[in-house]
Amino acid sequence: MSEANGTSTAPPGKPRQGRIKCVVWDLDNTLWDGVLLEESRVTVRPAVVEEIRRLDALGVLHSIASRNDHDAAMQRLEEAGLAEYFLYPQINWNPKSGSIEHIAKSINIGLDAIAFVDDQPFERAEVSHQLPDVLTVDAADVPTALHTPEFQPKFITDESKLRRDMYRSAAVRDEAEQEYAGTSEEFLATLGMEFTIAPAQEEDLQRAEELTVRTNQLNSTGRTYSYEELDKLRQDPDHLLLVAGLTDQYGSYGKIGLALVERAGPVWQLRMMLMSCRVMARGVGTVLLNHIMRRAADAGAQLRADFVETGRNRVMYVTYAFAGFQEIERDGDRVVLQSDLDRIQPPPDYLTITVH
């Protein structure tokens, strides 16, 4: 659908269910009626507030890209009881494409996971030109445009409902890190991090499926698994499905890791390994992998891992290499790696590991 018709535009290709992870809002004549700097009072649009709260409950995040006076705009959002919904709001006089890039980087999501809502065709066109992966939406279409499958996650998990709180905790944590005078490792030691590893239970499966869908950079194969597939695998004695979680003094990161091991025979196959991008800077990327390596070594088995190059998961290949895995087979973008189980690294001193 085209901008000229007053409707939304999206990157070419079939819409992907639940691909939008963050909606970025303009303010003047979009979130509220009127122009803040020209009128003594602007009125927040009830229909927009309803959409913000509805999507928030689904686990969709929100932010702002607005050309406006920052302090005045934030004061109005506070008065309306809406300020808490917006992560890393960009209220300044910069091009909105730059503001959206900053938001994506801060939240650590791809530009194709962002929708931008604005009443001005010029602003939508500027964003579409600079950031073609971003979905642009005319503010007039808000009552219908945000109800497409792209805005509807397949599952609404307990973690979905807490996602905004997790990101707000992360923002406080990041600010504390920026203000910390010591080294990165010294800062991590102040967090009191606890990493948990446990066999997946039935109540974990919705989040497990969500992880396979949402995780791109730290996904070893890029493959997604359905709830039904994961449920069957967790009950299969020849497979081990593990879920990892992380907490610290600022709160929970939620379930952030998933691994699937086929362990029938003398060679264990690590079929899938992924970690949420939000823990990339926490120094825990190899903890789950090292745990699996120890279990294989204790069982007297060899350990091999499947890896499929997706164009976005190079970091996971580096993680395997750092842990001592080496290529033994390659067929195009499909690789089999084998572990040197004599090189299992100890966990970092700043981390407590609990295995259930």
Side-chain angles (χ1 to χ4, degrees):
M1 295 184 288
S2 69
E3 290 284 348
N5 294 328
T7 52
S8 60
T9 59
K14 183 179 179 180
R16 198 167 73 247
Q17 181 172 0
R19 79 174 177 96
I20 299 300
K21 300 177 185 178
C22 179
V23 180
V24 178
W25 297 86
D26 174 43
L27 294 177
D28 292 337
N29 291 315
T30 297
L31 190 143
W32 52 54
D33 289 318
V35 178
L36 183 63
L37 296 183
E38 296 178 359
E39 303 176 33
S40 59
R41 191 72 175 172
V42 291
T43 303
V44 172
R45 294 177 172 176
V48 171
V49 175
E50 181 180 341
E51 289 302 307
I52 289 170
R53 290 175 174 161
R54 180 184 68 84
L55 291 171
D56 178 75
L58 300 181
V60 178
L61 305 173
H62 297 277
S63 189
I64 293 170
S66 173
R67 295 176 188 269
N68 234 311
D69 179 270
H70 178 274
D71 293 345
M74 290 304 300
Q75 180 180 344
R76 183 67 189 99
L77 291 169
E78 292 280 1
E79 292 169 352
L82 295 174
E84 65 180 326
Y85 286 95
F86 299 107
L87 302 171
Y88 306 102
Q90 299 301 296
I91 305 173
N92 50 49
W93 302 105
N94 300 328
K96 293 186 179 180
S97 58
S99 293
I100 291 171
E101 284 186 299
H102 180 88
I103 292 164
K105 183 177 180 180
S106 298
I107 297 177
N108 197 16
I109 58 175
L111 291 167
D112 61 345
I114 288 180
F116 171 58
V117 185
D118 198 297
D119 67 303
Q120 293 293 323
F122 169 82
E123 299 289 5
R124 299 196 302 271
E126 189 270 334
V127 168
S128 292
H129 178 73
Q130 297 293 335
L131 308 174
D133 287 339
V134 171
L135 173 68
T136 59
V137 178
D138 187 336
D141 295 335
V142 164
T144 57
L146 307 190
H147 288 260
T148 64
E150 292 166 291
F151 293 85
Q152 178 64 47
K154 184 174 181 181
F155 287 119
I156 312 304
T157 65
D158 290 340
E159 190 156 319
S160 299
K161 299 171 185 177
L162 297 174
R163 184 162 291 127
R164 169 167 51 93
D165 291 336
M166 291 181 184
Y167 274 94
R168 293 193 75 85
S169 296
V172 175
R173 188 185 293 114
D174 291 344
E175 184 177 352
E177 184 173 11
Q178 291 173 8
E179 295 175 353
Y180 189 79
T183 66
S184 176
E185 188 161 307
E186 288 170 341
F187 172 74
L188 293 176
T190 70
L191 294 178
M193 290 190 291
E194 181 180 3
F195 192 98
T196 60
I197 302 171
Q201 304 300 310
E202 185 175 1
E203 58 267 26
D204 296 320
L205 295 182
Q206 290 186 353
R207 172 57 178 162
E209 179 185 17
E210 184 182 43
L211 274 170
T212 72
V213 172
R214 293 172 66 96
T215 305
N216 296 304
Q217 296 180 54
L218 294 177
N219 187 329
S220 62
T221 64
R223 179 182 168 181
T224 61
Y225 287 80
S226 69
Y227 180 102
E228 293 74 21
E229 288 175 310
L230 292 168
D231 194 28
K232 183 177 180 180
L233 289 165
R234 79 174 179 89
Q235 298 181 70
D236 184 347
D238 289 338
H239 288 83
L240 180 64
L241 183 64
L242 296 174
V243 177
L246 185 67
T247 61
D248 68 16
Q249 66 171 332
Y250 291 96
S252 174
Y253 296 76
K255 297 295 191 321
I256 47 81
L258 190 67
L260 174 64
V261 184
E262 185 178 340
R263 53 180 180 174
V267 179
W268 288 14
Q269 296 282 156
L270 184 49
R271 297 298 187 189
M272 178 259 294
M273 173 87 184
L274 61 85
M275 296 289 290
S276 171
C277 295
R278 64 173 176 250
V279 298
M280 285 179 68
R282 292 292 162 256
V284 300
T286 60
V287 174
L288 181 57
L289 181 57
N290 288 333
H291 170 74
I292 294 168
M293 293 168 67
R294 288 188 195 93
R295 290 195 62 163
D298 291 345
Q302 296 182 38
L303 179 63
R304 295 176 182 171
D306 295 340
F307 180 80
V308 179
E309 295 175 348
T310 65
R312 302 184 68 176
N313 64 349
R314 178 69 182 173
V315 174
M316 183 56 79
Y317 185 90
V318 173
T319 299
Y320 277 133
F322 184 72
F325 282 75
Q326 295 184 334
E327 283 191 28
I328 60 170
E329 295 178 25
R330 175 179 282 270
D331 181 10
D333 57 4
R334 297 181 178 274
V335 181
V336 177
L337 305 162
Q338 182 157 310
S339 170
D340 178 0
L341 295 179
D342 294 327
R343 291 180 51 191
I344 304 176
Q345 302 160 12
D349 294 336
Y350 52 73
L351 191 67
T352 298
I353 300 176
T354 301
V355 179
H356 299 286

